[in-house]
Amino acid sequence: MKDKDSMNVSEINEEILCVLKREEKTDKIILDVVEIEKDLEPDFRGLLNQFERNGNTANSIVHYIKNHRKLKVLFNRYDYCARLNMAYQGLDSTFELIEEKYQSKFDHIKDKEKKQEAIKKEKDKLLKECKERLHANYLQKAYKKCRKDKEILAFSHRRVGWGAPKYDLNENFSIELKTNFGYGSVSYFYTKIKYKDLDIIPFSDWVNYRISRIFEIVLYSSKHTLSNESWYDAMSYVAEACNISSKDEDLFVQKYIVDQCKELITGLQNILNSSTFRLKGYVFLNQEKGYIDLKLSGHNLTEFRGEKISGALELIGNHSAGISIAPEQIRYEWLSLGSEEFFHSLKSGVSLFSGCR
């Protein structure tokens, strides 16, 4: 299995795809890589010569590509996201639209030096697009290779827009790799795991973030920064969880359910007993911005406590069925988390919150 030291994570989706496989001897889920083959490099070097020739314009180079036996594939449509957290992504232009974009009409510019600058600027723009299209072509072929390989369970990508492919890793464990790349502020990268039809959710996020929304938290088990490197973290999270669930169900329940609830309740106790908080923050859904130091009093403090308490009760109530898969000792520990004294405080907090409306 590839670890972070043996896998250069900066190469993910550039030189390699990060993939999940099942190891035949042990039946464990492991991380591996698939090399991205770059078969058009010799032909593309020839294209670079076209850009360097002073007499060529962007328009003439577009026609060179169109008539090239191998490079004409650059003008295919590609589902490709160059910048995962930015808007307006994709390479879906047809040849006609590309030709229209690079018309190379500069006869109106009389100054020779300014005309050459305009020609160069347009060529540079085309070259940048060609490089993106070339890499999109390589990735598309790498995806196809992965789909054909029956040993590969899941693979990294940089496709545009919403996608949540589901993969059954064994009879009890399934995952969703939920991505929405290339849509600006609403872009996200989530992993969702399900064990024995139970959705694993991060209860602790409810108290660890300044702004938490239940409808978001229930969408994921873990969330990741919008970068190609995050595929390693996502795949590692999935592989570890799946392998633990197969080897030791008690440990899985403890780590992914009970410990999460403990952290939630510890956070609630802190919220009830304090007026200053250090919480995680984010600009948009999946764009972290570190920690926020929060100091509240009066109505604002009561409202904050009420929101966190009532939301926590809803979260736990909607997912209490999950404890049914735990052994007796852990079920007892789960139930012991909510002592009479603690739930009295919860009810008091909810009453205060309701009374201030």
Side-chain angles (χ1 to χ4, degrees), residues 199-215:
D199 289 318
I200 303 300
I201 65 171
F203 293 109
S204 61
D205 278 8
W206 180 250
V207 290
N208 288 337
Y209 282 84
R210 166 66 181 95
I211 299 174
S212 306
R213 300 179 180 91
I214 292 176
F215 77 88

Side-chain angles (χ1 to χ4, degrees), residues 41-55:
E41 291 301 296
D43 299 283
F44 198 78
R45 285 195 292 271
L47 177 61
L48 294 178
N49 292 332
Q50 296 294 317
F51 280 94
E52 292 172 0
R53 292 180 183 176
N54 292 330

Side-chain angles (χ1 to χ4, degrees), residues 269-310:
Q269 288 172 329
N270 180 58
I271 288 170
L272 284 170
N273 297 320
S274 180
S275 60
T276 59
F277 314 98
R278 186 167 177 78
L279 303 167
K280 293 180 181 179
Y282 55 81
V283 181
F284 295 111
L285 291 181
N286 202 18
Q287 299 181 36
E288 302 282 344
K289 66 172 186 180
Y291 286 86
I292 297 171
D293 291 314
L294 192 66
K295 186 170 183 177
L296 300 172
S297 61
H299 172 84
N300 291 333
L301 177 59
T302 302
E303 186 173 23
F304 177 69
R305 286 172 172 170
E307 176 195 350
K308 291 300 184 183
I309 292 166
S310 59

